Amino acid sequence: MLHSKKSALRLLIVLGAIAITLSGCWKDPVTPAPKTEEIPVDKTITYKGMFVLNQGSFGQNNASIDYVDFASGSYTQNIYAEKNPNAVKELGDTGNDIKVHGKRLYIAVNGSNKVEVLDLTGKRIGEVDVTSPRYLAFKDGRGYVTSYEGKIVAFDTATLQVANEVQIGRNPEELAIVDDVIYAANSGGLTSNTLGYETTVSAVKINADGSMNEVKKIEVAINLNRLRVDAKGRMWVTSQGDYNSIAPKTYILEKKGEYYEKVKELDIAITNIAFSGDRALYTSTTYGANGVAQSSYGQLKLDTQEKVGDSFITDGSESQIGLAYGLIVNPTNGDVLVFDCKDYKQNGDVFCYGADGKLKWKKGAGMLPCNGAFIQ
Amino acid sequence: MDKRVFCYISFGSNDTVTLGIAALLLLFLPGPGTHATAAPDTTQDATAAYVDTALNIGSVRIQGSRMKEIIAPQRLEGEELQKLNALSVADAIRYFSGAQLKDYGGVGGLKTIDIRSMGSAHVGVYYDGIQLGNAMNGQIDLGKFSLDNVEVLSVYNGQRSEIFQGAKDFGSGGALYIETRRPTFSTGKSSNARIGAKAGSFGLLNVSALAEHKLAHRLSGSLNAEWLHAHGRYKFRYYRKANDGSTAYDTTAVRQNGDINAVRLEGGLFGMLPGGNWRLRGYHYGSNRGLPGAIVNNVWRRGEKLTDRNSFAQFSLRTSVTSWFRMQIATKYAYDYTQFVGDISSTMQNNIKYQQQEAFASLANLFTIRKWWEASLAYDFSYSTLLTRMEPSGKPTFNFPYPSRYSHYLAAATAVEQWGLKLQASILGYFILNRAKQFRKPANVFDYTPAVFLSYTPLERLGLSLRAFWKKSLRLPTFNDLYYVDHGSPQIEPEYVTQYNVGFDWQKSWPTGVARRANITCDAYYNEVHNKIVAYPKGQQFRWTMINLGFVKIKGVDANAAISIVPWDVLTISTKLQYTYQDSRDWTNPKDKYYGHRTPYSAHHSGSAIGGIAWREWSINYSFIYVGERYSQQENIIYNLVLPWYTHDFSLAWDGKIKSVGLRIVAEVNNLLGYDYEVIVNYPMPKINYKFSTCVTF
């Protein structure tokens, strides 16, 4: 078979040819094009559109944004890389919050240690470097962002420079600004193993000169997460429990004197919350015996916090939702948007429900859709 | 008893075991077919006899010898292994078909092995015949195991298919056996020494020394020390093209925080017994390293540090009690210490120590019932614990359960060999008792897994044998799976794998002519992974829990071909090709978008080619490694696509003698064309890099 020099040589030539051929087909990475699909046009919506933030999986650098164009009726997936081809490593790792303020879009990108600043078409303006940012709020030309480093960082929206910061509790989550006081929910979630959970809402005063100081720690419950103020000035704060013996609950805080105080405990586990008219819509995540998460849906009267009906979804289509990971309401027509992250291992879906609780449309999103922001 | 039976035999390296047993059989089973000519002369040094006999065994099959493993493993050994110039065991794994290396890049980056996509936790890694453990996460970082003192690497699908072995050896879904060097002395010598040094890219400096001495007639010892240092910096590049071919971005940066400083110390005593041998080994590895972490947008440098101390002492003994009864005893104590220090600015707890201890004992018994029929019974016991502490306070972490595990393994096996047919059947029983000082105690595990191995050699002179196996195996949840932070999942169960394999092995050698040796093996397999343990997030804060969810089917083909040709007397050309086809798909839930999609990081095609030309003292070696398209996530969409990569590595070596001193000098260039690639997404691999090494033996 190979007992001649000629055939041996032939073998070597063949092997060499294979190696050279393989070397010639090195593939360069190419920016994937966005994908656009149609959605029904709804004339009742006066907003131009909505950005959807897909969180991406931790450490994967695959946070992305989608754009929903209400006027033309289209859903476009993954627009960032196309709008910003020169942004090295795209939007980044683990997007957490998205907010429109003025003529700009701000995105807290947790794993990329930045607040990304875009114009309303999705083109990049700049960024603010903040370690492990979580949630955003704005007031008087300043952005405020909670950082898992246990602080609130204030930045100038004109210069995109960090103005100052204030130390609060460990691993703070959502924040809200009422008059000149910032309220931020401390979780202690990342350090619970060694230091236990936090149990307070920090009240931080914004002084006339722009400096901040923590004026009060309001005792609420362990491992706080959501913190929202409704139209009547009531503050809703959710506790995630300890994933063990302490159950998740929801708390109502009201202004007593200068600051808010806990006035009511609701025995309801709320994972996501959104206000719609005189109601608070919510989703709850519960874990089955096998450890798999499931969502349930409900609504409460804003004033009395009593349950209304069973679910804000009325057509039974919640069975299509894997796990509700985000919830927002379109204020112009009461549409409810549920962001479904499935099992955290695949691209999610966006479900749009009418105010009547019937599914209007459903579109594929990116990895872990978690939040959205409307463009007027 | 005749002196000539005392030859150095090892526990894991099967050829030499066979050899030792063959020597035994000269006494116990005299008769036609035992190649008495291979027996050492009584006047000769026993170890020299070993060397002599080893030369013969390549082409001679000893009839009536103790049954060898039924399916030969893929093996890299001796010179072949040396030619790869690999620094660690991990680098050599890339040349085994069916084995995937998960490489996070750099000298200090984590490197783990996966065989046939079953998952790293299904691969048992054995060091001199005793399994390396990591009760915490089940992961063995092969980057920590130096090739400096390694003689043979064997990769087995299923299990090592011989029956005279410890009970745990029957348990793995796939196995990697690392066999270190045993002292052998050429005639008239009673000591050996070797000093080696390497230097190269990434600030690599590596010095090693080995001393072996014959302490008594039946006793020898060895000492081996190694130091490795690297700053770990290397240039890497990220670029993207737009659809029109223009450059979207193109940036080159330097990998940071990849420094490593490691020391390895090993000592061994090797003794011979009438009809057997024993080995005592002490091992210590200590390292301090930076964890370079994932490169993501806006984060190009991380500051996490890891300190490791892995120490173990192990003893093993194998002896013939009677002509029909052989026994093997093995025992081990291991202490592992890991300290993780996070970034200064880290939001997580950033200074935690982990301590693991494992005590292990094993007894295996082999009964020769007939010349063609053997049976074995083995019992292994292991006890492992894990402790975590916060630094600098030294306090245990919150909610820490203080887990421990008592594991009992009982294996029974039998093997028959007749008319070219070899059959082996084994069953392994698991009796796992979990303990936790506080909180929920995970359930105990009582289970069993069977395996059947078969091979048929129709005609000895054809050099062809056909083989097949069927095996069930399980992997136990690790301490991390069960107790991860405070969201433990004590309810999780073992993960199961069923493997089916058919294949053939053809090998031939010719004493003269251009072609001297040729070998082709090919196996097709089908695996099912049930009850797969997968990480599952809990809450919104990067908290994970483990669940039994997942059903994966894997189909594949592993093929190897090797040939060495000698066109002119002074010139030898050898090539080795390896190809892997794999189709691993998730069939867990039809509702998932990834239902039926290929599992993360499983490439359809991968392979390697090694070519070497040797001319007198000089040799040139070339190696090519290719890994095809794969996906970084469950869902097979363009956003998760990871592009194929390949590398070309070259080396030039001079290996000769100056007077009585052996000298080897090697210069190598790796990733010659400077390709930019990733094995794991966001962990960039180095571009072109160099290494020079020299080694002196006397």
Side-chain angles (χ1 to χ4, degrees):
Chain A
M1 179 186 70
L2 280 162
H3 287 261
S4 77
K5 286 174 193 176
K6 217 173 166 185
S7 52
L9 197 66
R10 212 175 289 147
L11 176 80
L12 284 180
I13 289 168
V14 169
L15 291 178
I18 290 171
I20 290 163
T21 314
L22 284 169
S23 302
C25 56
W26 185 266
K27 278 189 193 167
D28 290 322
V30 175
T31 307
K35 198 174 96 188
T36 301
E37 285 180 33
E38 270 183 34
I39 57 166
V41 179
D42 184 346
K43 296 274 187 261
T44 64
I45 303 175
T46 51
Y47 284 165
K48 259 175 77 186
M50 173 181 72
F51 282 101
V52 174
L53 174 64
N54 299 294
Q55 189 176 296
S57 9
F58 182 62
Q60 296 287 325
N61 197 56
N62 60 348
S64 64
I65 47 174
D66 301 341
Y67 184 69
V68 186
D69 190 324
F70 294 127
S72 70
S74 68
Y75 189 108
T76 308
Q77 217 181 308
N78 205 22
I79 62 156
Y80 185 91
E82 200 212 24
K83 295 271 183 190
N84 304 286
N86 304 328
V88 176
K89 302 223 81 177
E90 300 80 41
L91 179 57
D93 187 49
T94 321
N96 200 71
D97 195 16
I98 184 165
K99 287 243 156 61
V100 169
H101 179 71
K103 290 214 167 350
R104 288 172 175 185
L105 185 68
Y106 296 82
I107 304 168
V109 189
N110 185 280
S112 284
N113 296 338
K114 65 169 185 182
V115 174
E116 178 83 3
V117 186
L118 308 175
D119 69 16
L120 293 183
T121 69
K123 276 216 158 55
R124 187 165 201 270
I125 294 167
E127 67 180 43
V128 187
D129 288 320
V130 177
T131 306
S132 208
R134 290 295 284 177
Y135 290 94
L136 292 155
F138 296 88
K139 188 180 166 69
D140 302 334
R142 280 208 169 163
Y144 297 89
V145 57
T146 47
S147 152
Y148 260 161
E149 281 190 304
K151 58 195 185 185
I152 295 171
V153 177
F155 60 90
D156 190 309
T157 52
T159 63
L160 302 184
Q161 296 299 310
V162 170
N164 51 35
E165 56 182 55
V166 61
Q167 209 67 34
I168 54 167
R170 282 176 289 119
N171 317 132
E173 298 284 1
E174 288 195 346
L175 75 169
I177 303 174
V178 182
D179 302 326
D180 56 355
V181 182
I182 311 169
Y183 294 89
N186 299 311
S187 76
L190 263 71
T191 38
S192 64
N193 235 8
T194 48
L195 300 167
Y197 288 105
E198 289 275 13
T199 57
T200 60
V201 166
S202 286
V204 171
K205 186 138 194 174
I206 306 169
N207 302 312
D209 63 353
S211 67
M212 300 180 287
N213 57 301
E214 189 184 35
V215 286
K216 204 176 172 194
K217 274 192 160 57
I218 306 158
E219 198 65 37
V220 180
I222 68 158
N223 198 7
L224 302 177
N225 183 24
R226 306 282 175 215
L227 188 150
R228 307 280 172 89
V229 178
D230 67 21
K232 299 254 179 83
R234 245 179 258 107
M235 189 179 289
W236 299 62
V237 179
T238 67
S239 155
Q240 301 175 97
D242 67 351
Y243 306 101
N244 200 348
S245 54
I246 303 173
K249 284 188 173 137
T250 303
Y251 297 86
I252 303 293
L253 280 69
E254 277 174 8
K255 209 165 175 182
K256 303 265 172 186
E258 212 172 339
Y259 305 108
Y260 278 80
E261 263 174 43
K262 178 165 83 175
V263 295
K264 195 171 177 185
E265 177 184 285
L266 307 176
D267 197 9
I268 304 168
I270 291 182
T271 307
N272 297 291
I273 185 165
F275 304 121
S276 178
D278 61 350
R279 296 198 177 163
L281 315 183
Y282 68 91
T283 77
S284 313
T285 306
T286 50
Y287 295 91
N290 61 353
V292 177
Q294 294 151 341
S295 287
S296 57
Y297 307 83
Q299 44 186 331
L300 304 172
K301 276 187 186 154
L302 267 194
D303 292 335
T304 59
Q305 296 96 45
E306 284 166 343
K307 283 195 182 179
V308 193
D310 286 335
S311 165
F312 58 84
I313 299 168
T314 54
D315 60 357
S317 62
E318 57 265 55
S319 62
Q320 294 177 36
I321 302 173
L323 186 65
Y325 204 54
L327 180 72
I328 58 171
V329 170
N330 185 334
T332 63
N333 67 346
D335 276 1
V336 182
L337 293 131
V338 180
F339 302 112
D340 175 12
C341 74
K342 312 283 173 196
D343 63 350
Y344 299 87
K345 291 188 168 64
Q346 55 192 312
N347 275 356
D349 286 323
V350 174
F351 288 78
C352 178
Y353 289 95
D356 58 357
K358 292 202 167 74
L359 184 63
K360 283 179 154 178
W361 53 265
K362 170 195 167 187
K363 283 289 162 242
M367 196 81 176
L368 310 192
C370 62
N371 218 328
F374 295 100
I375 315 282
Q376 294 198 343
Chain B
M1 190 168 277
D2 197 310
K3 254 188 206 168
R4 65 186 169 179
V5 300
F6 304 129
C7 59
Y8 280 95
I9 61 176
S10 96
F11 279 12
S13 176
N14 299 288
D15 284 332
T16 49
V17 170
T18 316
L19 188 73
I21 302 305
L24 283 173
L25 287 163
L26 297 180
L27 289 178
F28 298 126
L29 296 168
T34 55
H35 287 244
T37 48
D41 189 288
T42 44
T43 57
Q44 263 188 317
D45 186 288
T47 50
Y50 157 73
V51 175
D52 287 346
T53 332
L55 293 174
N56 290 332
I57 204 131
S59 53
V60 179
R61 293 215 182 198
I62 299 172
Q63 292 190 1
S65 75
R66 195 180 74 71
M67 294 168 200
K68 264 182 78 165
E69 57 209 353
I70 286 179
I71 297 179
Q74 294 181 64
R75 208 173 251 151
L76 279 172
E77 58 190 313
E79 203 174 316
E80 207 178 7
L81 198 57
Q82 201 178 36
K83 277 184 194 162
L84 299 176
N85 300 311
L87 206 56
S88 73
V89 169
D91 299 326
I93 292 305
R94 304 183 299 171
Y95 299 98
F96 288 98
S97 65
Q100 298 155 271
L101 185 73
K102 296 233 159 103
D103 186 349
Y104 287 78
V107 181
L110 176 70
K111 294 168 176 68
T112 61
I113 180 179
D114 185 2
I115 294 178
R116 294 180 167 181
S117 285
M118 289 180 284
S120 303
H122 286 277
V123 182
V125 181
Y126 298 79
Y127 198 78
D128 281 341
I130 300 179
Q131 192 171 3
L132 294 165
N134 186 344
M136 197 162 105
N137 59 22
Q139 252 174 7
I140 305 292
D141 183 358
L142 296 176
K144 283 188 193 168
F145 291 91
S146 166
L147 267 188
D148 177 56
N149 202 34
V150 171
E151 204 151 71
V152 189
L153 288 179
S154 315
V155 167
Y156 292 84
N157 294 309
Q159 68 204 28
R160 181 165 67 180
S161 54
E162 70 167 298
I163 66 167
F164 190 25
Q165 59 186 2
K168 273 182 103 174
D169 292 62
F170 291 97
S172 315
L176 166 68
Y177 282 80
I178 304 167
E179 283 300 317
T180 60
R181 186 184 150 89
R182 299 170 313 283
T184 54
F185 303 95
S186 51
T187 318
K189 275 186 88 177
S190 63
S191 58
N192 296 326
R194 190 186 68 214
I195 295 169
K198 289 174 182 166
S201 305
F202 327 121
L204 175 78
L205 269 177
N206 174 217
V207 185
S208 74
L210 169 76
E212 294 171 335
H213 191 70
K214 199 170 168 187
L215 301 163
H217 185 60
R218 297 173 192 178
L219 183 68
S220 62
S222 84
L223 277 175
N224 181 214
E226 185 178 8
W227 173 69
L228 181 143
H229 178 85
H231 59 56
R233 287 189 293 271
Y234 57 83
K235 276 192 181 164
F236 63 92
R237 173 176 169 231
Y238 276 108
Y239 68 105
R240 276 271 176 101
K241 301 261 185 204
N243 274 309
D244 59 9
S246 66
T247 298
Y249 62 79
D250 188 342
T251 188
T252 300
V254 175
R255 196 78 166 120
Q256 300 285 355
N257 199 37
D259 58 299
I260 178 168
N261 195 46
V263 172
R264 181 178 58 89
L265 294 169
E266 269 186 272
L269 282 176
F270 307 82
M272 293 179 295
L273 294 169
N277 70 356
W278 58 268
R279 167 146 67 177
L280 177 67
R281 177 173 292 282
Y283 177 100
H284 175 77
Y285 174 89
S287 73
N288 296 308
R289 69 184 77 197
L291 299 173
I295 298 286
V296 299
N297 168 284
N298 207 33
V299 181
W300 296 76
R301 184 194 184 112
R302 289 170 195 267
E304 287 96 349
K305 298 284 177 195
L306 191 72
T307 301
D308 273 310
R309 304 276 179 268
N310 307 108
S311 314
F312 62 78
Q314 64 185 38
F315 172 77
S316 49
L317 182 151
R318 200 174 239 212
T319 188
S320 272
V321 181
T322 67
S323 61
W324 51 270
F325 175 44
R326 282 185 278 269
M327 204 168 81
Q328 173 185 298
I329 300 166
T331 178
K332 176 180 179 173
Y333 169 74
Y335 175 82
D336 296 310
Y337 161 103
T338 305
Q339 185 173 6
F340 174 82
V341 181
D343 259 315
I344 304 294
S345 64
S346 170
T347 47
M348 310 282 279
Q349 167 62 34
N350 54 23
N351 195 339
I352 303 186
K353 256 190 202 175
Y354 302 87
Q355 283 164 277
Q356 291 185 61
Q357 293 186 74
E358 190 195 3
F360 171 79
S362 166
L363 173 68
N365 307 288
L366 180 75
F367 307 94
T368 307
I369 301 163
R370 291 280 181 276
K371 206 171 125 184
W372 50 269
W373 184 19
E374 288 177 341
S376 79
L377 200 61
Y379 166 73
D380 287 9
F381 167 75
S382 107
Y383 168 71
S384 46
T385 62
L386 172 68
L387 208 62
T388 69
R389 293 189 187 287
M390 293 184 280
E391 288 296 307
S393 68
K395 281 193 216 151
T397 51
F398 259 62
N399 298 343
F400 190 71
Y402 298 94
S404 59
R405 178 180 270 176
Y406 297 84
S407 311
H408 305 268
Y409 304 87
L410 189 63
T414 186
V416 292
E417 180 174 347
Q418 193 72 293
W419 307 300
L421 189 73
K422 295 183 195 176
L423 174 79
Q424 177 194 308
S426 63
I427 188 156
L428 171 64
Y430 290 83
F431 309 90
I432 311 297
L433 309 171
N434 287 309
R435 296 280 178 272
K437 273 194 190 158
Q438 47 178 336
F439 310 112
R440 296 155 296 181
K441 180 179 86 76
N444 297 329
V445 177
F446 304 106
D447 216 324
Y448 66 94
T449 55
V452 177
F453 287 75
L454 197 71
S455 90
Y456 177 58
T457 308
L459 269 175
E460 199 80 26
R461 64 185 165 80
L462 282 181
L464 178 75
S465 64
L466 308 172
R467 57 205 196 177
F469 77 83
W470 166 76
K471 172 164 184 170
K472 284 194 169 189
S473 60
L474 62 83
R475 86 142 174 110
L476 295 164
T478 63
F479 282 158
N480 269 10
D481 297 339
L482 291 167
Y483 308 101
Y484 200 85
V485 209
D486 49 345
H487 308 143
S489 324
Q491 74 277 9
I492 63 164
E493 293 164 1
E495 176 179 313
Y496 297 88
V497 174
T498 309
Q499 303 182 66
Y500 306 85
N501 184 99
V502 289
F504 71 87
D505 178 346
W506 174 79
Q507 47 192 329
K508 196 99 183 147
S509 53
W510 300 269
T512 56
V514 176
R516 290 291 166 93
R517 224 186 147 85
N519 172 218
I520 296 172
T521 66
C522 185
D523 284 274
Y525 62 88
Y526 172 70
N527 297 344
E528 280 185 1
V529 185
H530 295 265
N531 234 13
K532 200 170 169 65
I533 298 171
V534 292
Y536 189 85
K538 202 160 189 176
Q540 312 259 347
Q541 301 167 320
F542 320 128
R543 285 314 185 86
W544 296 80
T545 186
M546 295 290 167
I547 57 171
N548 281 114
L549 187 78
F551 174 44
V552 175
K553 292 182 191 176
I554 308 145
K555 287 180 282 190
V557 174
D558 295 345
N560 288 282
I563 185 162
S564 57
I565 47 184
V566 184
W568 296 278
D569 273 350
V570 288
L571 190 74
T572 309
I573 302 170
S574 48
T575 58
K576 187 171 180 171
L577 305 173
Q578 172 264 110
Y579 168 76
T580 303
Y581 170 81
Q582 206 167 61
D583 186 73
S584 163
R585 289 177 192 273
D586 190 301
W587 298 100
T588 308
N589 184 352
K591 280 175 84 176
D592 290 329
K593 290 182 181 178
Y594 57 83
Y595 181 71
H597 286 203
R598 278 155 57 193
T599 56
Y601 292 108
S602 67
H604 262 159
H605 306 282
S606 57
S608 68
I610 308 172
I613 300 174
W615 178 74
R616 299 184 198 273
E617 279 92 7
W618 294 91
S619 62
I620 299 172
N621 282 289
Y622 162 70
S623 85
F624 172 81
I625 292 174
Y626 173 86
V627 175
E629 232 172 53
R630 60 234 185 273
Y631 295 90
S632 61
Q633 306 270 310
Q634 314 284 119
E635 210 177 333
N636 295 177
I637 49 174
I638 182 113
Y639 307 122
N640 300 332
L641 184 72
V642 186
L643 292 174
W645 62 267
Y646 49 85
T647 52
H648 303 276
D649 300 346
F650 278 95
S651 71
L652 174 68
W654 188 89
D655 196 344
K657 275 201 161 179
I658 298 172
K659 292 183 179 164
S660 67
V661 178
L663 179 65
R664 182 178 161 84
I665 301 168
V666 187
E668 55 180 298
V669 186
N670 298 317
N671 192 6
L672 182 76
L673 299 181
Y675 289 126
D676 306 292
Y677 69 103
E678 292 172 326
V679 178
I680 305 290
V681 159
N682 301 327
Y683 288 82
M685 301 296 284
K687 295 168 90 82
I688 186 166
N689 59 87
Y690 309 89
K691 195 159 76 208
F692 300 94
S693 38
T694 176
C695 175
V696 182
T697 47
F698 45 88

